[in-house]
Amino acid sequence: MAAGVPPDALGRRVSCGPDYGTVRYVGSVSRTAGIWLGVEWDDPQRGKHDGSYEGTQYFKCRHPKGGSFIRPNKANFGVDFLTAVKDRYGLNDKQDVQYGTGSAVVFGTKTVEFVGMDSVAEQQRQVQLNKLVDISVRECAVSHAGQEEEISRTCANMRHINLSKNLISSWETVIAIASQVQNLETLNVSENKMVFPSTSTFISNAFSNLKILALNQTGITWTEVLLCAQGWPVLEELYLSANNITVLERPDTVLQTLKLLDLSDNQLLDGNQLHLIAQLPRLEQLILRNTGISSIHFPDAGFGCKTKMFPLLKRLAINDNKISQWSSINELDKLPSLRALQCNNNPFMDTEKNPETLIQLIIAKISQLEVLNNCEILPAERRGAELDYRKIFGKEWLEAGGHWNPEKNKPSEEFLAAHPRYPALCLKYGAPEEGELKGRQPLTLKNQLLTLTIKCPEKPEQKPVEKKLPESMTIQKVKGLLYRLLKIPGSELKLSYESSKLEGKEVELDNDLKPLQFYSIESGDCVLVRW
């Protein structure tokens, strides 16, 4: 092997300036002198050809112009882990002077020699390294572990390591580093194009305490994940973004402690792939952003029932996908523990022009949702959404066989498939009455006026007053009106209302900027005033 070229250069990761690649060939090239490295670049635009030169194929590339030849002296093969740590944290030999560890000190015109200062400097470095708990050597060209046991002697207290975007070529190198860190809890090795074991081999205990692992942009397949996962007995969070994972397999004996799984930016074959990971017993958060899925379906549960899949899933991200049908949103109501959903940038959202109506529909369709697209759903907002949903589709419900009399209430299968929560909303608020379901009238002031009874429950001497108020009137303006009507200071008012449809319940009107219609107040309801 030529000078400057490691004996194991083939398959190694290298950098050349800002560019990263993998060595695919080491040797001579026709009609040129000396040794060349054939490199397949991560960014194909850095390359010039497919590994062939003047008719001879020296190596192969995935991209027709992803490769080129460089001289060995242009390639950086990287450094060992401890060298990178010392460089990053200023604890190598070159920085000794900053700790006052030079062997001679000048006092005025006298030079005083300090014998043994080199060993003192080394001791100080050891103390500094032993204090490090959270270490980041991102983009520090780490390529190998270094001398055996050197890491465990030097950095005994490390718990969190960021090794992203380095020159690590294989999972074995990661094991060699991690096996020397006794209490490793968090490890990020993203953006290292690595070779992973393809068959079940010796299971290392290097990751026996590992809770969080990031393997984004490493080229790992799901099959390789399951093989390596045998060595992750307590793993809770696994990040696998942008790995070209297309198919999943059932993790029957591994990943049983997993609480978070990120599969974003992997183009999954279809939504049915999710069924293969649906029995992960502790999974609470699933990130499926930009995975190409067009539908979600839980076939084990019927209308209004809960699925046995994803039993503990609380947070789901399906934004930036191809979901076009509302039926997939209906399906999400089958998840027994779902509380938070991100679903922006899906085609189904284009079916409704009014963004507020869109949000209301999603809220009404998923009963236990508390957070939608990172916004908390307030109780009044849920009530308003569900009441509006009940009204909007009431006529369709009647035409499909729905009836206020339970004995005659037999909506069609087709209606229930489109609106599986509708029966539950009728149970919650009562079946919609005929008067509620009249077609939308012209928006004249008369049609927008609400006839409300104003009561002061804590002031019996104040007689109830009936007022007609526009449904678009804000709570702040209602308070101003009541201030003049009841001669009380508006700023101290607390408003709520009662409805015959919510017997025994009182709904607070707690947002001064919202209109009356936001709270789904109807004519005949009673506004309660306290101060």
Side-chain angles (χ1 to χ4, degrees):
M1 194 66 70
V5 180
D8 62 344
L10 206 60
R12 284 274 297 269
R13 297 283 292 164
V14 291
S15 62
C16 182
D19 298 302
Y20 288 73
T22 304
V23 178
R24 301 296 186 199
Y25 173 79
V26 180
S28 59
V29 174
S30 64
R31 296 204 297 175
T32 64
I35 296 295
W36 292 89
L37 302 178
V39 179
E40 181 180 10
W41 300 102
D42 294 355
D43 179 4
Q45 291 184 340
R46 169 66 173 81
K48 295 178 180 177
H49 49 69
D50 63 352
S52 59
Y53 179 72
E54 292 192 346
T56 303
Q57 186 88 44
Y58 291 92
F59 62 98
K60 290 183 179 179
C61 291
R62 279 171 296 215
H63 193 276
K65 287 199 173 180
S68 69
F69 293 104
I70 61 171
R71 291 295 189 183
N73 64 345
K74 297 286 186 184
N76 178 8
F77 280 92
V79 297
D80 66 85
F81 177 76
L82 270 183
T83 298
V85 171
K86 289 174 182 178
D87 284 347
R88 169 59 63 90
Y89 293 93
L91 297 170
N92 57 21
D93 297 337
K94 294 171 187 175
Q95 276 90 10
D96 279 353
V97 67
Q98 77 183 48
Y99 298 106
T101 57
S103 60
V105 177
V106 177
F107 292 98
T109 55
K110 274 189 177 180
T111 301
V112 181
E113 292 285 337
F114 284 83
V115 179
M117 281 305 288
D118 287 344
S119 62
V120 172
E122 181 58 32
Q123 286 174 7
Q124 285 187 337
R125 278 198 297 274
Q126 293 281 27
V127 169
Q128 295 288 331
L129 286 167
N130 267 320
K131 285 181 179 177
L132 293 174
V133 174
D134 193 335
I135 285 180
S136 175
V137 283
R138 176 177 169 80
E139 290 189 89
C140 288
V142 176
S143 61
H144 55 289
Q147 291 181 13
E148 202 171 334
E149 302 305 321
E150 192 179 5
I151 297 171
S152 56
R153 284 197 305 269
T154 314
C155 302
N157 291 306
M158 283 191 298
R159 288 179 183 270
H160 313 284
I161 302 176
N162 183 352
L163 267 167
S164 59
K165 204 167 186 182
N166 277 290
L167 300 176
I168 296 170
S169 305
S170 74
W171 184 244
E172 288 178 5
T173 300
V174 179
I175 292 175
I177 294 170
S179 61
Q180 299 182 57
V181 186
Q182 192 174 356
N183 296 309
L184 185 62
E185 292 178 15
T186 307
L187 178 62
N188 184 355
V189 287
S190 300
E191 298 173 82
N192 287 286
K193 300 280 186 188
M194 281 184 276
V195 174
F196 292 89
S198 55
T199 56
S200 189
T201 53
F202 166 71
I203 299 168
S204 167
N205 63 358
F207 309 104
S208 57
N209 294 308
L210 192 67
K211 301 279 181 67
I212 301 171
L213 176 60
L215 289 165
N216 305 319
Q217 297 180 55
T218 55
I220 195 168
T221 66
W222 185 253
T223 302
E224 290 165 349
V225 167
L226 298 187
L227 283 170
C228 293
Q230 296 173 54
W232 309 333
V234 296
L235 193 69
E236 294 182 359
E237 297 183 15
L238 179 58
Y239 298 87
L240 297 170
S241 174
N243 279 310
N244 296 318
I245 294 171
T246 56
V247 292
L248 304 176
E249 298 169 48
R250 217 177 283 279
D252 291 325
T253 58
V254 293
L255 302 178
Q256 300 300 294
T257 56
L258 205 62
K259 292 181 179 179
L260 181 153
L261 177 60
D262 181 1
L263 288 168
S264 55
D265 299 311
N266 292 291
Q267 296 303 298
L268 297 177
L269 189 63
D270 54 42
N272 291 333
Q273 295 299 311
L274 304 182
H275 299 166
L276 299 168
I277 56 169
Q279 301 307 324
L280 287 171
R282 298 187 191 176
L283 192 67
E284 294 179 4
Q285 185 168 355
L286 181 59
I287 304 168
L288 298 170
R289 181 182 54 78
N290 188 30
T291 51
I293 56 174
S294 57
S295 65
I296 296 172
H297 183 44
F298 303 113
D300 67 320
F303 307 138
C305 300
K306 297 298 180 188
T307 177
K308 290 180 180 177
M309 300 185 188
F310 299 107
L312 294 185
L313 190 67
K314 293 178 184 176
R315 294 178 291 280
L316 175 65
I318 51 170
N319 32 329
D320 303 310
N321 276 298
K322 299 173 183 176
I323 297 169
S324 58
Q325 300 296 321
W326 278 97
S327 57
S328 290
I329 303 304
N330 291 338
E331 289 291 304
L332 297 180
D333 189 50
K334 294 180 181 180
L335 292 168
S337 304
L338 188 65
R339 297 293 182 272
L341 175 68
Q342 289 182 33
C343 59
N344 280 327
N345 300 326
N346 275 288
F348 82 87
M349 300 189 78
D350 299 332
T351 61
E352 179 54 58
K353 291 178 182 177
N354 186 330
E356 284 193 18
T357 304
L358 181 75
I359 289 165
Q360 281 191 317
L361 288 172
I362 297 169
I363 292 170
K365 283 176 175 289
I366 307 175
S367 59
Q368 299 171 107
L369 208 60
E370 294 172 359
V371 179
L372 176 60
N373 294 328
N374 296 321
C375 294
E376 185 184 357
I377 300 166
L378 300 172
E381 191 176 6
R382 170 162 291 287
R383 182 177 180 277
E386 291 178 343
L387 283 170
D388 282 355
Y389 188 91
R390 177 176 150 277
K391 282 184 196 176
I392 291 167
F393 297 102
K395 195 174 179 184
E396 196 178 322
W397 171 72
L398 284 173
E399 289 170 356
H403 200 280
W404 59 269
N405 183 340
E407 292 178 7
K408 297 180 180 178
N409 181 32
K410 293 177 182 177
S412 67
E413 289 283 306
E414 189 181 0
F415 178 84
L416 290 175
H419 308 283
R421 274 211 77 211
Y422 204 87
L425 295 179
C426 288
L427 284 173
K428 188 173 181 179
Y429 301 108
E433 296 168 12
E434 197 174 337
E436 295 179 84
L437 306 179
K438 287 178 181 175
R440 291 189 178 181
Q441 297 172 323
L443 289 175
T444 61
L445 182 61
K446 186 179 178 183
N447 291 330
Q448 291 177 288
L449 287 177
L450 301 171
T451 304
L452 303 173
T453 303
I454 312 294
K455 283 184 184 177
C456 306
E458 294 172 0
K459 306 283 182 180
E461 66 274 13
Q462 290 269 12
K463 291 183 180 179
V465 180
E466 198 171 88
K467 292 295 291 182
K468 290 185 185 292
L469 303 176
E471 62 180 13
S472 59
M473 193 174 200
T474 64
I475 303 304
Q476 193 169 27
K477 287 182 179 177
V478 172
K479 285 181 177 179
L481 175 74
L482 293 173
Y483 162 68
R484 294 189 296 276
L485 183 71
L486 304 173
K487 297 182 173 58
I488 47 178
S491 60
E492 295 177 18
L493 289 184
K494 288 186 179 178
L495 303 185
S496 57
Y497 82 95
E498 289 177 332
S499 171
S500 58
K501 289 174 183 166
L502 290 170
E503 285 184 28
K505 286 187 180 178
E506 216 175 288
V507 178
E508 282 188 44
L509 306 175
D510 53 2
N511 189 331
D512 285 358
L513 302 178
K514 294 289 185 184
L516 288 167
Q517 64 194 15
F518 172 79
Y519 293 96
S520 297
I521 296 180
E522 298 176 351
S523 286
D525 289 348
C526 181
V527 175
L528 305 174
V529 187
R530 294 180 175 88
W531 65 93

